[in-house]
Amino acid sequence: MAMRVARELQDGFYVNLGIGIPTLVANFVPDGMEVMLQSENGLLGMGEFPTDETIDADMINAGKQTVTAVKGASIFSSAESFAMIRGGHVDLTVLGAFEVDVQGNIASWMIPNKLIKGMGGAMDLVAGADNIIVTMTHASKNGDSKLLDTCSLPLTGKGCIKKVLTDLAWLEIQDGAFVLKERAPGVSVEEIKEKTQGKLIVPDHVPEMQFN
Amino acid sequence: MAMRVARELQDGFYVNLGIGIPTLVANFVPDGMEVMLQSENGLLGMGEFPTDETIDADMINAGKQTVTAVKGASIFSSAESFAMIRGGHVDLTVLGAFEVDVQGNIASWMIPNKLIKGMGGAMDLVAGADNIIVTMTHASKNGDSKLLDTCSLPLTGKGCIKKVLTDLAWLEIQDGAFVLKERAPGVSVEEIKEKTQGKLIVPDHVPEMQFN
Amino acid sequence: MAGFDKVVGSYEEAMAGIEDGMTIIAGGFGLCGIPENLIAEIKKRQTKELTIVSNNCGVDGFGLGVLLEDMQVKKMVSSYVGENALFEKQLLNGELEVELTPQGTLAEKMRAGGAGIPAFYTATGVGTPIAEGKEVREFNGREYLLEESIRGDFAIVKGWKADRYGNVIYRHTAQNFNPLAATAGKITVVEVEELVEVGELDPAHIHTPGIYVDRLIVGTFEKRIEKRTVTESA
Amino acid sequence: MAGFDKVVGSYEEAMAGIEDGMTIIAGGFGLCGIPENLIAEIKKRQTKELTIVSNNCGVDGFGLGVLLEDMQVKKMVSSYVGENALFEKQLLNGELEVELTPQGTLAEKMRAGGAGIPAFYTATGVGTPIAEGKEVREFNGREYLLEESIRGDFAIVKGWKADRYGNVIYRHTAQNFNPLAATAGKITVVEVEELVEVGELDPAHIHTPGIYVDRLIVGTFEKRIEKRTVTESA
């Protein structure tokens, strides 16, 4: 999945990667292309994890992991960081979700009757970005679809998602439907249909994903 | 007048001085007392004018005059500067006016049918400060009072002025009236009464101004 | 320049005046850049019924987490909480109230509080549970929420270096919410690692100008790491 | 790192895409920290019907004043104008429109524009002519005006030093409106005095992070002084 997301990168993109799968995207940036990672606690130009020698408690990312800064990085307050995010200056945001629906709604932070830990920066990220990729499994462990007609969980953002990448498919949300753009290698259109609860448009030809 | 204003200073005050008479206050800071001057273009800790040798086009005050910075100064953007002002962090603001009235209204930026150059930072200064001293002549050259029942000119701020210093008197605005607190040296209560159009309260004893 | 000397002699003096029921704004993100010793002083004082505005609530036994041990906190205003067991327990028991606020909105609420802006509009949270009871308004064809600013009776801040006038700089990402918190306290208390001479900090690179700072103290810090992540040394 | 190299080869390239009728946000206060050469390029191009958002409008023959000479400006959004005769003449003739905006509100409108905040409340201007047509609303017993944010088709900015990624620092009070303007342009163009190596600027002390900057050019500057005030040399 991270490899597929990497194909959406463009040279010179400022990118915010959520915690989990999105973080892995950094490992698949194509050769000759550079992206700069924004971390919403206040770092533009996040680098690799430090070594035991260079680790520094004052240098962390939004997931609270110890990190480094690349050459040319800048560090600023949380207000400045979210000015960048809210103001639409980040070129691409990649984050996980529990559910998305055909209206582009996303639910990613709260499961009623389970302990609520908070939304962190996710609501700001989905409200601020024009270009968001949601990465998640297509269905739950029980086989329940996460691509729905209407999100059942409380929302993180309304009408803000246009691109969804799952373990099965690459889909785009257009005019109240999921449009199936690509299949994951070896996955059939039938399986995707079966596991998509929301309205799905299947073009005549659905290519397999290509990776760089 | 600048000497009288200086008596209102306290050690450790952050002060914004308007253009003209207010600027002179800096020359009368009592010995052993330190104040720090804020200039709304983005300087906290304004120093003296530079010499021919140290003059620098990149170091000016809100009146566009070339200045210096004192040790311990800070320099910041206009948004940060007005965050300080609007947020009430400046301890004392001294500025000029055309008129003030018994409701604490101030008119200082616009004379209808004359060319309007703009309010600059004056509206922000009067809205943001709790502690403002207006310095002006008591009456115009024609003898028209500038201390009015109701300002005749378009306002700079509404209900924000409590202290007025003129060439004749020190007055405070309380409950819809000017209260005469001090007379300038050699000025009679009669003259002040005559030149004050707005409601004036004259206590039994009105001392002459004392200077440090 | 006694009037501008913000340095106080003890942590007791630094937090003098804190009272039950007050609102405290705290800098820090996770355990990074938190005012460790000011928090410890609040614990020592056993001040109760506090409303604490901070992005997170520390962990069990460290950071703001220690204030939970003796039930000092009435309410947390945060974007992400529950990294510690005691927090969860008190929340589930109804002993602790939480007002979840999106991280960017929280940062902006602090900045606005310090900047004399009582409220602002943001697209963040429209159509979500946090929009409940808030005005929604359209600008240029898009919906936005009205969010009100936050001020605190105290702001507690962790800086790196400061001079006696209270001019502060922060180190790396320990900056985070600290400069915002610093603007939003009726009384702003800053603890730093190092006191430098007045004039040593470049005026153009001061993160928090002294005008925002009421009290300053130099401390020593544990700087615990919450999620230690390393690559192999080369 | 071609994708992050913001440096362009000429002023022509720096202002490519500017069109009649656009809104341009300009940094600078008086003649201090103004993008002299970007303004000169706009004059050279004879782009017309411009709305210019800038605290001031330069002086006769220098700064934004030069754009008045050939009637390129339709409207100025400023806090203080009229330091030049041509400006007054065009204003009185009705050839030029002015929207006077309090200085702090203007700064905040730019910042809000860049920060995705469509509007905010401020006490500045309540009860004055600038409140006309604006919503007045009470928070905590005080009245505030609703002010909408500003964005520009272009922002033109004067920095001191920058690296190729567009990380910029400003010199002394030439900072003023520049970092705010830089956030609020659909296309932000920065001219600086000196290009430094990437990594040379301290990440914690960058005033404008490169994410806001689209084009960067190194220029030479006259830096005219508007009000020369000196004391006697010692």
Side-chain angles (χ1 to χ4, degrees):
Chain A
M1 284 168 72
M3 287 169 69
R4 179 59 190 84
V5 172
R7 271 188 49 210
E8 299 293 307
L9 299 174
Q10 291 179 26
D11 196 23
F13 257 24
Y14 297 97
V15 181
N16 186 296
L17 300 178
I19 297 160
I21 291 172
T23 312
L24 300 174
V25 173
N27 300 330
F28 295 99
V29 177
D31 283 347
M33 185 185 288
E34 299 280 358
V35 300
M36 204 171 263
L37 302 179
Q38 204 256 16
S39 191
E40 62 265 30
N41 56 319
L43 170 60
L44 181 66
M46 178 167 64
E48 300 186 341
F49 294 138
T51 63
D52 282 325
E53 288 73 44
T54 61
I55 194 166
D56 187 328
D58 289 335
M59 184 63 97
I60 66 169
N61 67 14
K64 300 175 188 169
Q65 297 169 312
T66 45
V67 293
T68 57
V70 301
K71 227 185 206 189
S74 49
I75 297 174
F76 31 80
S77 77
S78 300
E80 181 65 46
S81 186
F82 283 94
M84 287 176 192
I85 290 167
R86 207 190 301 103
H89 302 281
V90 173
D91 297 303
L92 173 66
T93 292
V94 185
L95 81 174
F98 301 143
E99 296 175 349
V100 292
D101 72 23
V102 296
Q103 299 304 328
N105 298 323
I106 173 172
S108 67
W109 70 286
M110 181 182 175
I111 298 181
N113 303 321
K114 283 187 78 170
L115 189 78
I116 301 156
K117 293 197 170 183
M119 70 293 284
M123 283 190 185
D124 304 279
L125 282 163
V126 299
D130 269 340
N131 188 13
I132 302 170
I133 301 173
V134 168
T135 58
M136 60 180 191
T137 54
H138 209 98
S140 72
K141 283 172 194 165
N142 307 334
D144 297 332
S145 177
K146 296 180 175 181
L147 284 78
L148 306 175
D149 196 51
T150 305
C151 284
S152 68
L153 298 171
L155 298 186
T156 307
K158 193 175 124 183
C160 46
I161 306 301
K162 293 183 200 122
K163 299 174 185 172
V164 183
L165 175 68
T166 74
D167 50 336
L168 305 184
W170 173 265
L171 309 100
E172 292 183 16
I173 299 174
Q174 288 166 13
D175 304 323
F178 296 108
V179 180
L180 180 57
K181 292 289 187 177
E182 299 171 20
R183 295 170 295 123
V187 173
S188 69
V189 168
E190 279 317 300
E191 183 181 356
I192 295 165
K193 275 186 178 171
E194 194 182 301
K195 291 188 174 166
T196 305
Q197 186 256 315
K199 184 177 174 188
L200 180 72
I201 292 174
V202 182
D204 289 343
H205 176 64
V206 181
E208 253 191 23
M209 283 178 199
Q210 303 295 316
F211 303 105
N212 291 328
Chain B
M1 284 168 71
M3 287 170 70
R4 179 59 190 85
V5 171
R7 271 188 49 210
E8 299 294 306
L9 299 175
Q10 291 180 25
D11 196 22
F13 257 24
Y14 297 99
V15 181
N16 186 295
L17 300 179
I19 298 160
I21 292 173
T23 311
L24 300 174
V25 174
N27 300 332
F28 296 99
V29 177
D31 282 346
M33 185 185 290
E34 299 280 358
V35 301
M36 205 171 262
L37 302 179
Q38 205 255 16
S39 191
E40 62 264 31
N41 55 318
L43 170 60
L44 181 67
M46 178 167 62
E48 299 186 341
F49 294 137
T51 63
D52 283 326
E53 288 73 43
T54 61
I55 193 166
D56 187 328
D58 289 336
M59 184 63 96
I60 67 169
N61 67 13
K64 300 175 189 168
Q65 297 168 312
T66 45
V67 292
T68 57
V70 301
K71 229 186 206 189
S74 50
I75 297 174
F76 32 79
S77 76
S78 300
E80 181 64 46
S81 185
F82 282 94
M84 287 175 192
I85 290 166
R86 208 190 300 104
H89 303 279
V90 174
D91 297 304
L92 174 65
T93 292
V94 185
L95 80 174
F98 300 143
E99 296 174 349
V100 292
D101 71 25
V102 295
Q103 300 304 328
N105 298 323
I106 173 171
S108 67
W109 71 285
M110 180 181 174
I111 299 182
N113 303 321
K114 283 187 78 169
L115 189 78
I116 302 156
K117 294 197 170 183
M119 71 293 285
M123 284 191 184
D124 305 279
L125 283 163
V126 298
D130 268 340
N131 188 12
I132 303 170
I133 300 174
V134 169
T135 58
M136 59 180 193
T137 54
H138 210 98
S140 72
K141 284 173 193 164
N142 307 335
D144 297 331
S145 176
K146 296 180 175 181
L147 283 78
L148 305 176
D149 196 52
T150 305
C151 285
S152 68
L153 298 170
L155 298 186
T156 308
K158 195 175 124 182
C160 45
I161 306 302
K162 292 183 201 123
K163 298 174 185 171
V164 183
L165 175 69
T166 73
D167 50 337
L168 305 184
W170 173 266
L171 309 101
E172 292 182 15
I173 299 174
Q174 288 166 14
D175 304 323
F178 296 107
V179 180
L180 180 58
K181 293 288 186 179
E182 298 171 21
R183 297 169 294 122
V187 174
S188 70
V189 168
E190 279 317 301
E191 183 181 356
I192 294 166
K193 275 185 177 171
E194 194 182 303
K195 291 189 173 165
T196 304
Q197 186 256 315
K199 184 178 174 188
L200 180 72
I201 292 174
V202 181
D204 289 344
H205 176 65
V206 180
E208 253 192 22
M209 282 178 201
Q210 303 295 317
F211 303 104
N212 290 328
Chain C
M1 230 173 166
F4 292 105
D5 189 346
K6 312 292 175 72
V7 177
V8 295
S10 68
Y11 276 95
E12 204 176 330
E13 203 181 326
M15 291 309 298
I18 187 173
E19 287 173 19
D20 290 358
M22 278 188 167
T23 296
I24 315 295
I25 302 187
F29 180 94
L31 300 182
C32 181
I34 59 173
E36 298 178 15
N37 305 294
L38 294 170
I39 294 167
E41 172 65 22
I42 296 173
K43 179 173 173 65
K44 192 176 142 210
R45 286 170 172 262
Q46 286 293 302
T47 320
K48 306 274 187 188
E49 295 281 307
L50 295 172
T51 294
I52 306 224
V53 183
S54 166
N55 192 56
N56 315 93
C57 190
V59 296
D60 281 317
F62 196 67
L64 290 167
V66 304
L67 301 184
L68 300 170
E69 294 163 5
D70 306 301
M71 307 272 294
Q72 293 180 258
V73 184
K74 183 182 69 177
K75 179 177 171 182
M76 285 296 306
V77 179
S78 304
S79 87
Y80 195 82
V81 290
E83 300 285 13
N84 64 59
L86 197 51
F87 190 96
E88 295 191 15
K89 181 169 155 282
Q90 292 186 11
L91 189 61
L92 294 171
N93 289 351
E95 297 165 331
L96 180 63
E97 199 183 327
V98 174
E99 182 177 324
L100 290 173
T101 304
Q103 196 170 318
T105 298
L106 186 63
E108 193 65 19
K109 276 170 173 262
M110 290 186 195
R111 183 204 174 258
I117 291 171
F120 58 89
Y121 288 92
T122 173
T124 301
V126 170
T128 77
I130 71 122
E132 275 167 33
K134 288 175 187 158
E135 180 192 305
V136 176
R137 185 164 181 155
E138 209 174 291
F139 295 94
N140 302 315
R142 191 172 179 197
E143 291 182 323
Y144 295 86
L145 286 188
L146 180 66
E147 294 279 4
E148 294 195 22
S149 65
I150 296 180
R151 292 210 62 186
D153 296 298
F154 275 81
I156 54 174
V157 169
K158 158 68 172 63
W160 179 27
K161 297 181 182 180
D163 63 29
R164 288 184 170 273
Y165 291 4
N167 293 310
V168 183
I169 60 170
Y170 304 94
R171 188 165 174 275
H172 302 335
T173 61
Q175 181 171 165
N176 57 61
F177 283 84
N178 279 301
L180 315 169
T183 68
K186 284 178 202 159
I187 297 174
T188 290
V189 189
V190 181
E191 58 172 342
V192 295
E193 298 176 39
E194 190 183 338
L195 190 69
V196 301
E197 290 301 313
V198 169
E200 205 171 306
L201 300 174
D202 182 338
H205 296 303
I206 288 165
H207 293 125
T208 294
I211 195 170
Y212 294 115
V213 177
D214 298 289
R215 303 173 190 169
L216 181 69
I217 188 164
V218 180
T220 55
F221 298 85
E222 177 184 337
K223 292 198 193 182
R224 196 180 291 185
I225 291 174
E226 196 167 345
K227 295 191 186 172
R228 185 184 179 85
T229 44
V230 291
T231 50
E232 291 300 304
S233 304
Chain D
M1 230 172 165
F4 291 105
D5 189 346
K6 312 292 175 72
V7 177
V8 296
S10 67
Y11 276 95
E12 204 175 333
E13 203 181 327
M15 291 308 297
I18 187 173
E19 286 173 22
D20 291 358
M22 279 187 167
T23 295
I24 314 296
I25 302 188
F29 180 92
L31 300 182
C32 180
I34 60 172
E36 299 179 14
N37 304 293
L38 294 171
I39 294 167
E41 172 65 22
I42 296 173
K43 180 172 171 66
K44 193 176 141 210
R45 285 169 174 263
Q46 287 292 303
T47 320
K48 305 275 185 187
E49 296 282 305
L50 296 172
T51 294
I52 306 224
V53 183
S54 167
N55 191 58
N56 316 92
C57 190
V59 296
D60 280 317
F62 196 67
L64 290 167
V66 304
L67 301 184
L68 300 171
E69 294 164 5
D70 305 301
M71 307 271 294
Q72 293 180 256
V73 184
K74 184 181 68 177
K75 181 178 171 180
M76 285 298 306
V77 180
S78 303
S79 87
Y80 195 82
V81 290
E83 298 286 14
N84 63 59
L86 197 51
F87 190 96
E88 296 191 14
K89 182 170 155 281
Q90 292 185 11
L91 189 61
L92 294 171
N93 288 351
E95 296 164 331
L96 180 63
E97 201 183 325
V98 174
E99 183 178 325
L100 290 172
T101 305
Q103 197 170 319
T105 298
L106 186 63
E108 194 64 19
K109 277 171 173 260
M110 289 186 196
R111 185 208 174 253
I117 291 170
F120 58 90
Y121 288 92
T122 174
T124 301
V126 170
T128 77
I130 72 122
E132 275 168 33
K134 288 175 188 159
E135 181 193 304
V136 176
R137 186 166 179 153
E138 209 174 290
F139 294 94
N140 302 315
R142 190 170 180 198
E143 291 182 323
Y144 295 86
L145 285 189
L146 180 66
E147 292 281 3
E148 296 195 21
S149 65
I150 295 180
R151 292 209 63 186
D153 296 298
F154 275 81
I156 57 174
V157 169
K158 158 67 172 63
W160 179 27
K161 297 181 182 182
D163 64 27
R164 289 187 169 271
Y165 291 4
N167 294 310
V168 182
I169 61 170
Y170 304 94
R171 187 164 176 276
H172 301 336
T173 61
Q175 181 172 166
N176 56 60
F177 284 84
N178 279 300
L180 316 170
T183 69
K186 285 178 199 157
I187 297 174
T188 291
V189 189
V190 181
E191 59 172 341
V192 296
E193 297 175 41
E194 191 184 337
L195 191 68
V196 301
E197 289 301 313
V198 169
E200 203 170 308
L201 300 174
D202 183 337
H205 296 303
I206 287 167
H207 293 125
T208 294
I211 195 169
Y212 293 115
V213 177
D214 297 290
R215 302 173 192 170
L216 182 69
I217 189 164
V218 180
T220 54
F221 298 84
E222 177 184 337
K223 292 198 194 180
R224 195 181 292 185
I225 291 174
E226 196 167 345
K227 294 191 187 174
R228 185 184 181 87
T229 43
V230 291
T231 50
E232 290 301 303
S233 305

